[in-house]
Amino acid sequence: MGFSFLAPLFLAGLAAVAIPILIHLTHRERKDAIAFPSLMFVKRIPYRTTRRQRIRHWLLFLMRTAAVVLVAAAFARPLLEDVGASAVGDGGAQELVILLDRSHSMGYGDRWERAVSAARRAVDAMGPEDRATLVVFADRAEAITQPTADRTILLAAVDEARLSSRATRYGPALQLAGEIVGRSDRPRPEVLLITDFQKTGWDARQTVKLPEGTTLRYVDLSDEDAVNVAVIAAIVSRDDQVGRGRVAVTAHVANLGDEPLSDVRVTLELDGESVATQMTDVEARGSSRVQFAAVVLPRRTVRGEVRAGADDLSADNAFRFVVAPQDPVSVLMVEPRSAGSDHSLYLLQALAIGSQPRFAVDVRRVSNLTVDDLNDRSLVILNDAPFPAGAVGRRLSDFVEAGGGLLVLLGRRSPPSVWPAEGLALIPGSFGAPIDRAGEGGGTLGYLDYDHPAFQLFREPRSGDFSAARFFRYRRLEIADPARVLARFDDGGVALAEGEYGDGRVFVWASGLENFWNDLTVQPVFLPFAHQLVRHLSGYREPQLWFRVGDVIDLAGVEAFADDALDVGAELVAENPVGDPRVLRLGPESRYFELSEAGFHRIRAASDSEDREFTAAANIEPAESDLAVLDPDELANTVTVTGDVDVRVTEAMVLSPEEREQRQGLWWYLLVGAAGLLILETLISNRAKRSPAA
């Protein structure tokens, strides 16, 4: 251990040591006065003495001197230096990799500023033959410099590094560091890890190993008893009506600290304006649900935000979402010529209940169907009606081939003899006469493909029972490759099949839905089953109200950029959360956009047209808000090679002298020691005065 002072000028105070020396050398004992007769007749003789003044109380002298020395040293701010740092550097030129953590959690308090300072000092400490590489990392690692001995390049790279909104992952950073030092020919490979050692960023099962002989050093920037409140999720329930919609927001607020919090303010904001505020209590390491009353939204895109509390990590105190106007799914219901008024009653009632999405259903008789009736439709349902002939039939075939959905319900009024050839070409197979099982009490569904979107909703236990439905009649359905069977009756007959025609899909249900050939329409599973069929066949996509940082958006699936907006060579403008724009030039493989920051991202056509605009809300990964600390030795012991290889792991060697002195606090102990010496000196001095020997 070396020894130095931050304020060595205060050592001039050691001159005060002369004070106790002078006191002891000039101090004379008082003698008692003795009355004596007049000396006027006595001859005056000059007084001479050969006895020199000497220090009689060495203990008091040494204690007073030591107290003065301790006070002067305390004001000079002493600092213990770790000579181990220099010992590491005695083996030749160094290959240094600086791993600078820039994940979201590094934004807590002044961690990022301290990290940048530590990286700069590591560069300043390089020797003339040393070489270094700066690697910044979060959930991925990137070397932003090549190995270089040029400090100017390294310092500029450190200054240009920016904090990110991404999660912490140590594996990629250590893997990249190992590759860099593994390619080096320098005799002293070394990795410096500057991080807050967030526990969620490390998986002990990882097999990352640094090359043999590599020294791992680290700067631990974690804080004890860190307090953090985060909004980790927001559930937005919408009820769209004609022209406008209502949303009810439920927020999940988490307390990632070790102390309970009370009266945490939670605010709901829409387009930057506060619309509701509630107070909540959150247990330590727990969460709380805050439900806001439903609010009516205008017919436009609305940016929503839930904010909770205030702490030293503000980025996760807000959760953002976007609610955009949603058009209903347009469905055309085609009935047979002789259908009664209640022919589609059950199916219409089921679709009328839908609110997310809302279904807009128009009913037409096949005899009155026109070409214009097929315009702007998402799905056509032939409800026990034959395929239309002529121009309408050709238009329906074109509709399916272009990507539309077709649901065919084969009931009692749909014999194959009334179907034209162009209609039969859309069926993924062939169908025939009905099978009558009324005499045996009806058949049941014996097989369901729960991997298909039509039945995924029912794959969990107690999520829906199809076995209660009885099927008294159904048509024989023969399927040809490559059609997919989604459901079978208990006798093996095909109940539901899916086929493709061009870009569209065709579903064939081998029985009707009018409560005549079966009783499925009165079973509890009918309503969600009907909704699932219509959603899937219509191509409906649940609007994603929010994303996580790091998610990638396929712009081809964004409605605003349909038609020619994504042609090769087209240009889009993407604005980050602070409004900085950048141009996206699209190519065959470049239609994807990554959300790299938390906040609202706006993507629009270069023409700045409002109908070609998309807003995405990106939020922090919930695990990144947990500031629990990993034991540095656990990570070091996992990634370094032990045994005969001399691997050193030391802590915070690149802290500034001021930071190390502040952590050590030796001046305080010196002042306490000086005060103790003075108190003890006073007690001993008083006793010495009372002693006859003194």
Side-chain angles (χ1 to χ4, degrees), residues 527-599:
L527 187 146
F529 176 55
H531 286 189
Q532 287 294 98
L533 283 179
V534 173
R535 286 194 187 101
H536 178 67
L537 278 172
S538 64
Y540 170 77
R541 294 184 181 183
E542 188 79 23
Q544 194 157 351
L545 306 183
W546 51 268
F547 300 85
R548 297 291 184 191
V549 172
D551 285 350
V552 177
I553 299 175
D554 184 357
L555 298 178
V558 177
E559 184 177 356
F561 304 132
D563 302 328
D564 59 348
L566 295 180
D567 288 346
V568 175
E571 291 186 353
L572 300 178
V573 178
E575 296 180 0
N576 64 12
V578 296
D580 296 331
R582 67 183 180 95
V583 176
L584 304 177
R585 290 181 174 84
L586 302 180
E589 305 293 336
S590 59
R591 66 181 191 180
Y592 302 97
F593 179 74
E594 183 178 15
L595 301 171
S596 58
E597 303 175 59

Side-chain angles (χ1 to χ4, degrees), residues 278-328:
Q278 293 192 32
M279 309 299 288
T280 187
D281 298 335
V282 193
E283 295 294 328
R285 294 287 169 180
S287 63
S288 174
R289 294 181 60 191
V290 179
Q291 187 168 356
F292 296 96
V295 295
V296 179
L297 299 180
R299 185 68 180 174
R300 57 179 172 80
T301 299
V302 176
R303 299 183 178 190
E305 196 167 26
V306 178
R307 291 189 170 274
D311 50 52
D312 288 337
L313 190 61
S314 59
D316 58 8
N317 290 94
F319 191 94
R320 305 161 187 86
F321 58 90
V322 176
V323 182
Q326 189 174 2
D327 294 327

Side-chain angles (χ1 to χ4, degrees), residues 45-238:
I45 301 175
Y47 174 77
R48 292 186 177 91
T49 179
T50 59
R51 182 175 180 267
R52 301 179 62 184
Q53 188 73 340
R54 59 185 180 85
I55 298 176
R56 302 179 60 223
H57 297 286
W58 279 99
L59 179 59
L60 295 178
F61 167 71
L62 293 176
M63 293 177 67
R64 292 167 180 168
T65 303
V68 173
V69 172
L70 291 179
V71 170
F75 277 91
R77 296 177 66 185
L79 170 66
L80 290 176
E81 300 283 359
D82 190 351
V83 297
S86 60
V88 174
D90 291 338
Q94 180 188 56
E95 185 69 58
L96 175 64
V97 179
I98 303 173
L99 299 181
L100 180 59
D101 185 356
R102 65 185 192 110
S103 62
H104 162 71
S105 63
M106 290 291 289
Y108 186 88
D110 63 347
R111 288 181 182 179
W112 178 245
E113 290 76 13
R114 292 159 54 198
V116 170
S117 297
R120 289 185 62 88
R121 286 190 295 273
V123 173
D124 290 335
M126 291 172 54
E129 302 298 325
D130 294 343
R131 190 170 62 184
T133 305
L134 179 64
V135 174
V136 295
F137 73 95
D139 57 349
R140 62 187 68 171
E142 177 186 4
I144 58 177
T145 69
Q146 294 294 324
T148 179
D150 192 330
R151 297 185 186 181
T152 303
I153 295 177
L154 292 168
L155 291 175
V158 171
D159 293 338
E160 291 175 1
R162 294 293 180 265
L163 195 65
S164 75
S165 301
R166 295 180 176 274
T168 307
R169 298 290 183 271
Y170 292 111
L174 292 168
Q175 181 71 36
L176 179 56
E179 294 174 0
I180 294 173
V181 298
R183 295 192 297 264
S184 174
D185 57 356
R186 303 295 172 100
R188 287 197 298 118
E190 183 172 310
V191 175
L192 175 63
L193 177 60
I194 305 175
T195 180
D196 58 359
F197 284 99
Q198 190 175 22
K199 192 171 185 178
T200 58
W202 177 246
D203 185 354
R205 296 170 297 179
Q206 297 185 64
T207 58
V208 179
K209 287 287 186 183
L210 296 176
E212 292 187 4
T214 302
T215 299
L216 174 64
R217 296 194 285 129
Y218 57 84
V219 178
D220 186 357
L221 300 173
S222 61
D223 299 90
E224 295 183 1
D225 303 324
V227 177
N228 188 32
V229 175
V231 185
I232 58 176
I235 300 175
V236 182
S237 302
R238 57 189 299 168

